[in-house]
Amino acid sequence: MSTETNVGISAPGGLPQSGQQQSLGTAGARNLATTTKSAPQMQGISPRWLLRMLPWVEVSGGTYRVNRRLRYSVGRGRVSCVKTGPEVRIVPPTLREVPVLRGFEDDAVLEQLAGRFVQRDFAVGDVLVDSGAPIDEVFIVAHGKVDRIGTGKYGEETVVGSLADGDHLGDEALQQEDGTWPYTVKAATAGTVMVLERSAFQELADRSEALQLQIMEYLAGFQQAQNKHGEAAIGLSAGHHGEFELPGAFVDYELRPREYELSVAQTVLKVHSRVADLYNQPMNQTEHQLRLTIEALRERQEFELINNPEFGLLGNAAYDQRIQTHSGPPTPDDMDELLSRRRSTKMFLAHPKAIAAFGRECNSRGLYPGTVEVQGRHVSAWRGVPIFPCNKIPIVGGHTSSILALRVGEDNQGVIGLHQTGIPDEYQPGLSVRFMGISEKAIISYLVSAYYSAAILVPDAVGVLESVDIAHRTS
């Protein structure tokens, strides 16, 4: 007797039996149908504007050397402080970031010097020093923000600059006795400064011959003829008449120029041979595994170009090219100041939340930033310079970030990307996919490597607007 289910059998009265399926379900139908499917998707893919916009320079030897003119004046770095409970201490080796102590080798003397700093807390509006007062103390901002306030042409107060965590002022007290403060220093926020009196420094210098020699060498270089950028001056004459004796000149170079070695991001892609053999229709499994792996490598590459301590743009921007916001959020005034510090600014880079914060500030002032077309896309711009989103720029403490301004190109003395093409098993420029073999468990392995770095040719090629408040204001 046949056991097949009869089709069309109804319950008494011609109605279907209660709860009985009346049509073919989708689960059964899929057994006879070919599904329409997408390629594997990945949420972590970003526009990666930095990788797109940087000019990439071929580095055939794996190392790129940046030759510059000799500089006498040493840039101001940032001194690190650590906080243990209410106590703040200076990390002694970081005192080398003070120009007069740059390159000083005696760690024991630096430790003694760090111990002579005294902690001093301040509140909003406190005056740390008055204009015209003698410079007899060195201040290191451990935490908080202070403004340098000068006098305008008509006697009004003007903010000529701001200092924040790690910045220092008054180090002239370490090299001269009769200096006076050219500005007033007032606290913009509550915070802490570490203070060193000149007498305490002098007492240590009198006991350390090495420290005395360090000061003499610094002053000798400081007194050399130099331009406003601290580079060795080139003797020139203009506007003379007759048989004027022209000055001799030559351009001196740094004896130890900086070199950038190519960095690498790598991973091993593993695919089981059974998957590669049997499941390649209609999509090649190995190809899509490789595609997504390369996307992840490129994302990491852009992250390193921003954040790597050796060559990343944030960590290697010159300290005199870093500015603080005037009031917290990124205002049009802040962007103008950032833009004015270099010629031929090619682009801004900002976290999407920082771009939104800038938009809110523009809206509150009734301003409407324009847009520019870049590679077929419309991008927000300020003063005609595109503002590219970059989610690799960190957000510190959940509410502060940074905005970068870049001049790019080797001919323009800007920022350049470094890579090497033509490497073995190259899959994309500067990226190789190398077959590593098949294991005893039938797993195929591929070594995926991306080689890259970045170089800042001239210090003012990168500017950073720091302490950008991206939080929404309640009023």
Side-chain angles (χ1 to χ4, degrees):
M1 179 181 291
S2 174
T3 59
E4 294 179 351
T5 303
N6 291 327
V7 179
I9 298 178
S10 303
L15 297 175
Q17 295 179 2
S18 176
Q20 184 177 1
Q21 182 175 331
Q22 302 179 46
S23 63
L24 178 65
T26 56
R30 288 181 62 184
N31 294 328
L32 300 180
T34 300
T35 60
T36 301
K37 60 185 70 67
S38 73
Q41 305 297 300
M42 177 176 173
Q43 185 175 350
I45 299 175
S46 67
R48 298 197 292 268
W49 281 108
L50 180 60
L51 298 189
R52 294 185 186 188
M53 300 303 295
L54 273 186
W56 291 89
V57 174
E58 180 72 17
V59 182
S60 57
T63 302
Y64 186 89
R65 177 181 297 160
V66 178
N67 289 310
R68 293 176 178 170
R69 284 177 58 183
L70 176 64
R71 298 187 67 194
Y72 290 120
S73 65
V74 183
R76 294 174 176 270
R78 287 186 174 170
V79 179
S80 298
C81 299
V82 293
K83 191 173 187 295
T84 306
E87 182 184 0
V88 179
R89 294 179 294 105
I90 292 175
V91 180
T94 64
L95 284 173
R96 295 187 177 95
E97 299 299 330
V98 179
V100 70
L101 298 175
R102 182 64 57 90
F104 187 65
E105 298 180 354
D106 195 333
D107 289 335
V109 173
L110 292 179
E111 189 169 348
Q112 295 180 51
L113 187 59
R116 284 168 162 76
F117 279 85
V118 178
Q119 179 178 340
R120 187 181 299 173
D121 297 327
F122 57 85
V124 179
D126 286 354
V127 176
L128 277 64
V129 297
D130 287 311
S131 176
I135 302 177
D136 55 7
E137 292 178 323
V138 181
F139 294 85
I140 294 176
V141 183
H143 173 66
K145 178 180 174 182
V146 298
D147 290 332
R148 294 182 299 167
I149 299 176
T151 303
K153 181 178 180 180
Y154 301 102
E156 74 281 6
E157 284 191 353
T158 58
V159 177
V160 296
S162 299
L163 302 173
D165 301 6
D167 288 328
H168 47 85
L169 64 159
D171 54 275
E172 296 90 343
L174 306 183
Q175 34 184 301
Q176 59 186 8
E177 298 183 3
D178 55 352
T180 59
W181 289 101
Y183 45 76
T184 297
V185 179
K186 182 182 292 187
T189 67
T192 302
V193 292
M194 303 298 291
V195 183
L196 174 68
E197 295 184 356
R198 174 177 171 77
S199 58
F201 174 79
Q202 190 60 50
E203 185 269 334
L204 180 60
D206 292 340
R207 293 191 301 159
S208 173
E209 183 178 350
L211 187 54
Q212 291 180 353
L213 291 175
Q214 175 77 15
I215 297 172
M216 292 175 61
E217 290 178 2
Y218 174 79
L219 292 177
F222 187 77
Q223 293 168 358
Q224 297 290 331
Q226 53 190 270
N227 61 19
K228 65 179 181 179
H229 304 293
E231 298 171 333
I234 300 175
L236 301 171
S237 177
H240 52 271
H241 300 281
E243 298 178 355
F244 185 83
E245 183 176 352
L246 298 177
F250 69 97
V251 181
D252 206 354
Y253 303 131
E254 288 184 351
L255 296 180
R256 293 187 293 272
R258 180 169 181 179
E259 294 183 346
Y260 294 84
E261 294 184 359
L262 292 183
S263 182
V264 62
Q266 291 179 307
T267 190
V268 176
L269 173 62
K270 297 183 178 182
V271 181
H272 200 285
S273 60
R274 180 172 56 189
V275 173
D277 292 342
L278 302 179
Y279 296 92
N280 274 341
Q281 296 297 331
M283 297 181 183
N284 187 297
Q285 296 283 354
T286 302
E287 177 183 330
H288 285 287
Q289 287 281 302
L290 182 59
R291 176 178 63 84
L292 296 180
T293 301
I294 291 175
E295 292 285 358
L297 271 180
R298 292 303 192 192
E299 293 290 328
R300 183 56 186 239
Q301 177 180 349
E302 186 174 65
F303 176 88
E304 293 293 318
L305 291 178
I306 294 288
N307 299 289
N308 188 284
E310 296 295 327
F311 57 84
L313 301 182
L314 274 180
N316 288 271
Y319 286 105
D320 59 0
Q321 294 298 321
R322 300 170 184 259
I323 61 175
Q324 302 292 320
T325 58
H326 288 84
S327 58
T331 65
D333 300 332
D334 295 322
M335 298 293 279
D336 282 341
E337 184 175 356
L338 184 61
L339 188 63
S340 68
R341 285 178 170 254
R342 70 203 38 77
R343 57 181 173 82
S344 304
T345 301
K346 180 70 173 180
M347 61 180 176
F348 293 106
L349 274 180
H351 193 279
K353 291 186 177 180
I355 297 177
F358 176 63
R360 290 193 296 269
E361 290 300 309
C362 290
N363 292 339
S364 67
R365 300 186 182 198
L367 301 176
Y368 302 95
T371 61
V372 294
E373 185 174 340
V374 182
Q375 298 181 0
R377 301 186 183 185
H378 288 279
V379 181
S380 297
W382 181 249
R383 308 293 189 193
V385 179
I387 307 175
F388 293 116
C390 179
N391 61 359
K392 315 303 187 304
I393 298 176
I395 295 177
V396 181
H399 60 87
T400 60
S401 186
S402 301
I403 296 178
L404 288 84
L406 307 180
R407 182 178 68 244
V408 300
E410 203 170 23
D411 294 338
N412 210 19
Q413 298 184 339
V415 181
I416 56 173
L418 307 176
H419 69 173
Q420 183 179 143
T421 59
I423 57 179
D425 300 312
E426 188 172 59
Y427 189 83
Q428 294 177 359
L431 185 145
S432 67
V433 179
R434 186 169 296 179
F435 175 69
M436 296 178 63
I438 305 176
S439 72
E440 295 179 352
K441 295 183 179 181
I443 296 178
I444 307 172
S445 297
Y446 299 90
L447 176 64
V448 188
S449 307
Y451 298 95
Y452 56 88
S453 187
I456 302 173
L457 300 185
V458 174
D460 73 345
V462 178
V464 183
L465 178 63
E466 297 184 313
S467 304
V468 174
D469 190 355
I470 61 174
H472 286 269
R473 292 190 172 185
T474 57
S475 58

